[in-house]
Amino acid sequence: MEFGLNQEKWNKLKSVLLCGSKGSSILVSTRDKDVAALMGTCQAHQLSCLSEHECWLLFKHYAFGYDKEQQTELVTIGKEIVKKCGGLPLAAQALGGLMRSRNGEKEWLEIKNSSLWSLPNENSILPALRLSYFHLTPTLKQCFTFCAMFPKDTEIMKEDLIHLWVANGFLSSRVNLEIEDVGNMVWNELCQKSFFQDIKTVNDSGDISFKLHDLVHDLAQSIIGSECLILENTNITDLSRSTHHIGLVSATPSLFGELAFTRVESLRTLFQIGFDTTRFSDCFPTSTRVLRTNSSNLSSLTSLIHLRYLELFDLHDIKTIPDSIYSLRNLEILKLKHFSKLRCLPEHLTCLQNLRHLVIQNCDALSRVFPNIGKLSSLRTLSKYIVRLDIGYSLAELHDLKLGGDLSIRCLENVGSLSEAREANLMDKKELQEICLSWKNSGKNKTPAISPEEVLEVLQPHSNLKILKIHGYDGLWLPSWLQIQSSLVVLRLSHCKNCVRLPSLGRLPSLKKLQLWHMDSVRYVDDEESNDGMEVRSFPSLEELLLGNLPNLEQLLKVETGEIFLRLSKLAIVGCPKLGLPCLPSFKELIVDGCNNELLGSISSFYGLTTLELYRGEGVTSFPKGMLRNLTCLRTLEISDFPKVKALPNEPFNLALEHLGIHHCCELESLPEQMWEGLQSLRTLEIAFCEGLRCLPEGIRHLTSLEVLTVYGCPTVEERCKEGIGEDWYKIEHVPKLSIN
């Protein structure tokens, strides 16, 4: 209510939501009875708590799992603890996670008899959550409460949070463990104890995001108080002497005036979460250790001599980073993200001897890093390195660096000798998860001193590597080490135009995603001819295959024997005019851009398809008979850019079809009547730029589940579908949402 929710505003929003399909509903959950009374269109339903038995089952799952013996005495105590959870699932989950690391009867009794249960005037769930917090180590407590800096429902990146912990000095290194490894252990323990939720892997590199449950966020905020604030325009007055960490959601120019921080004695973190640009004043606290901003006033950095973490983002007019960054001698983490015009990094950046992580993302104009990078002995992350012919920019600079994460090495055409390439020492960098190797201006430079085949052969990475990308490679063949990368999960080869054959990629046991782009000479995805009489499973783990602009690709495998593509789920084909497909009954999604008759003819054998998207069939005059007949699982069908096709297959569609789109088929004259029989699951139908289409079929009248019909760029049909007067209006008037343009 304090943020302006009232009946009038809710009524306006509710009117927008009334366009939902027939039978749909919106469920609103809240802990505030006033909100429920205001928003509800029917009587609010008060959710009951879990039964004691259900609460015990949830607690037991987190406390014992599958690998911990359920001792009788612990079970008895556990059931007593569950009674105090009051049937609240979050409490049962949190306490179960707490008990998992406790094995002794005394430890369980300590929790059962804790006086924290009787704390007065608390939200009923906070005592349970506070109890989980109470038994954390001091380090875990500090790391957890710091999360109150992020607004509720924020998706937090695990690696970023660990870096923030490191920069604030919350973690201590251990023998044989990097400090980031300690941070990973802390995060895992908090996760195991159910302080984090909605954990997901967000990209191929394995980066993890997570959230805090609202009540867990309440707990963190109740403990840390004014020490950690989420700052918006309206609460600048909340700053106090004890404020150490600020999550900046939005700002105005006045927010950082001369008096903004006079009350703050020791600000440690200013982390900009929103995208408002803020100009810092000269009196910005020198005590700051963490700064994330998209302010272009970088000259103010000079005074921040204690800064450990600096993240600059979305500065699209910046071409260089000012030399004032040299004053940040304590800097450990530097992140530069989304600089569209940044051309080079400061030349003497090696003076920042404490630098551990240099992250460069989406800075595509960058043509030079800085010389002698090998002097940064503490460096653990270097996301981009550009080889130059100048002194201090060779691959040898990477030799002693103990790098992890991802590494992109660009301009490999500038490698001067084979010994220099060996000096990169990629084989010993076992913590690297992702490597991108790229050559620039392929074919336009003078003949290199050493061949690209020789360079790539000696750049063999450690077998722990998960992701490998090779771009602009001019060699005739790929390195021998590629087929023994047993941990490789993702492989992308692009613009390797001279490469004539690929190694035995089908034998890579862990490969889940394979992308091949712009490889003019390749005829097979796997060129292996013989299996030595052994039964071999080709691509046993592959789930996603993307083939783009491969003009001479004929088949996926040169010899299609044994079990192939057992786990393939998605196949995307763009610009492969000669490609024919084998029988692949298991995969779910097929996208083809650039269709030919041979490829279309093989579709009927793909029984498991749920999504089929067909684009650009300039040479196709008709679809093969029976093309869709066997696709009994199909739910989405898109047909686009078939300029010579005059008719779709006159046969029943799959009964499970939910979406059908037909676009840019300018000679299509009619939609066959038979194809609509039984389409009782069809929910959306879109027909666009089919100028020759004369009318809609009678069968549309019987599509009782159709919710959305869109027609545009079809002048005759649009005229016939005019509301109330068009000849085809009676066929579509039952559809809830119509868009006829």
Side-chain angles (χ1 to χ4, degrees), residues 119-143:
L119 286 174
N121 303 320
E122 287 262 24
N123 181 310
S124 59
I125 201 169
L126 284 182
L129 295 175
R130 192 182 292 274
L131 188 56
S132 293
Y133 167 82
F134 182 78
H135 286 275
L136 297 176
T137 64
T139 296
L140 288 171
K141 286 179 178 179
Q142 191 173 34
C143 290

Side-chain angles (χ1 to χ4, degrees), residues 16 29 85 110 146 154 215 243 261 284 325 388 418 501 525 561 661 671 673 684 686:
V16 178
S29 62
C85 291
E110 181 188 8
F146 177 80
T154 297
L215 293 172
T243 299
F261 294 102
F284 195 81
I325 199 171
R388 293 169 61 90
L418 209 54
R501 65 190 303 263
V525 174
T561 60
L671 301 174
E673 289 290 345
T684 59
E686 186 172 291

Side-chain angles (χ1 to χ4, degrees), residues 395-396 398-399 409 419-426 429 459:
L395 281 176
L398 304 178
H399 185 271
I409 305 178
S419 60
E420 176 194 332
R422 286 195 185 95
E423 285 293 299
N425 195 26
L426 296 186
K429 303 186 192 312
L459 290 178

